[in-house]
Amino acid sequence: MPELPEVETVRRSLDKVLPGHRVLGTDLIWPGVVGYPTPAEFVQNVKGLEFVGTGRRGKYLRLEMSAGKTLVVHLRMTGQLRYQPESTQEAPHTHAVLHLDGGYKLSYADQRKFGRFYLAEHDAVARIAGMDKLGPEPLSEDFTVGYLLGLANGRKAPAKSFLLDQRHIAGVGNIYADEALFRAGIVPWRAAGSLNDEDIRRLHDALVAVLKNGVDYRGTTFSHYVDGLGETGAFQEHLAVYGREGKPCPKCGTLLERKRIGGRSSHYCPKCQV
DNA sequence: ATAGACCTGTGC
DNA sequence: GCACAGGTCTAT
């Protein structure tokens, strides 16, 4: 599921309701969800902590807590983090429930069990969760055309794989990479180093625009993605190419195609993208 | 760079 | 039965 726009939408939804709540206790239904520390330590350490704020780095959600601790959550493909009343029936595949004061709970469901929780001191949690090698945030001022130009220079990797590398840009996933390449008119298999200045500028602008667009529409829901209050996104109604193979290109009407690039399905228009 | 691993489910 | 699914890590 979640790429930058989805994780950002989860963050914004939880930011309205979570701060101020204290953790009374945790049900770890499937202990494997805890990446750090041990499941028993996690349950012990999180008890009594209060949520104080939220943050996001790439696809990692940061829930800042009292006592200088941070709970990092990565939803991977099918993770769902929901703030809901204690009385709400748990969704299928619920692996962890943090019981909060005030009659609420924070429930984590994940069909494929890829997502992970990490709890550590504020300044150590990034390293532990593996988020210390992330590239710049694409919606920040750090992400410039010049940065992308220098980064792509000499790279043989396909543009698609180049965009998905979290060390290059944090938070871009399969949907938004395909959408950005379409908007920039670049086929996904073009070597990143073969893109000229004008290509890179278009790619940069397309990436920023499509990610902003995704955030504005509160993410893309195919089957699993929901925000922190269980609401689906709406960007699936505005996708140009992703998941639309065999359908007409919104620009030229040519039938869209799909190819595997770098092990991931890539959707493109054979006429608009070169 | 590609394949396999991690998991469970859906659709053809 | 097989392919495929929003992600990332490891091994070859």
Side-chain angles (χ1 to χ4, degrees):
Chain A
M1 127 207 210
E3 307 180 27
L4 185 153
E6 289 76 35
V7 180
E8 177 60 17
T9 304
V10 172
R11 187 197 69 73
R12 291 181 183 185
S13 58
L14 289 178
D15 192 66
K16 295 179 194 162
V17 293
L18 216 42
H21 277 293
R22 201 168 282 280
V23 178
L24 302 178
T26 302
D27 290 332
L28 263 191
I29 298 144
W30 180 63
V33 72
V34 178
Y36 183 88
T38 67
E41 287 168 333
F42 178 91
V43 170
Q44 186 173 30
N45 295 351
V46 79
K47 187 173 180 173
L49 297 184
E50 182 185 338
F51 289 97
V52 298
T54 66
R56 179 190 57 74
R57 185 76 175 92
K59 303 172 194 172
Y60 293 83
L61 178 65
R62 295 182 61 115
L63 302 177
E64 307 299 344
M65 313 207 61
S66 56
K69 295 283 210 309
T70 303
L71 172 58
V72 167
V73 180
H74 198 307
L75 303 163
R76 294 288 179 93
M77 298 284 264
T78 52
Q80 303 172 319
L81 197 57
R82 284 190 191 83
Y83 169 90
Q84 51 197 359
E86 271 290 355
S87 58
T88 305
Q89 173 92 28
E90 295 300 352
H93 307 288
T94 295
H95 305 312
V97 181
L98 274 65
H99 298 283
L100 311 176
D101 56 8
Y104 280 83
K105 60 186 176 184
L106 187 62
S107 302
Y108 182 72
D110 187 349
Q111 179 186 103
R112 296 180 70 180
K113 296 182 169 176
F114 288 168
R116 291 292 181 272
F117 282 23
Y118 307 86
L119 178 69
E121 304 293 326
H122 174 85
D123 51 358
V125 71
R127 181 173 43 75
I128 291 163
M131 56 197 288
D132 53 342
K133 287 176 185 154
L134 295 177
E137 286 292 325
L139 297 185
S140 79
E141 57 193 20
D142 299 342
F143 183 60
T144 61
V145 174
Y147 167 78
L148 202 57
L149 210 48
L151 195 64
N153 186 33
R155 303 254 178 199
K156 291 176 188 164
K160 173 68 180 283
S161 314
F162 174 77
L163 290 179
L164 290 181
D165 192 328
Q166 301 298 296
R167 295 169 300 185
H168 298 164
I169 312 160
V172 180
N174 212 28
I175 296 176
Y176 297 93
D178 280 3
E179 293 295 313
L181 287 167
F182 171 76
R183 292 188 188 206
I186 298 165
V187 279
W189 55 84
R190 273 275 295 282
S194 78
L195 302 174
N196 64 29
D197 290 14
E198 178 57 20
D199 292 328
I200 292 285
R201 192 192 59 71
R202 286 204 319 275
L203 184 56
H204 172 277
D205 294 355
L207 205 45
V208 171
V210 78
L211 290 171
K212 279 186 177 164
N213 232 326
V215 172
D216 288 343
Y217 282 99
R218 311 185 71 260
T220 302
T221 299
F222 280 117
S223 53
H224 293 90
Y225 166 69
V226 289
D227 73 8
L229 302 179
E231 304 276 325
T232 57
F235 196 58
Q236 63 279 7
E237 296 158 27
H238 303 272
L239 295 172
V241 291
Y242 188 88
R244 300 192 66 247
E245 66 270 27
K247 293 181 179 164
C249 167
K251 274 189 205 162
C252 77
T254 302
L255 297 189
L256 298 171
E257 296 178 4
R258 178 168 62 124
K259 259 194 177 67
R260 204 160 269 277
I261 309 288
R264 311 295 301 277
S265 267
S266 302
H267 311 73
Y268 62 97
C269 171
K271 191 174 170 194
C272 293
Q273 293 171 256
V274 291

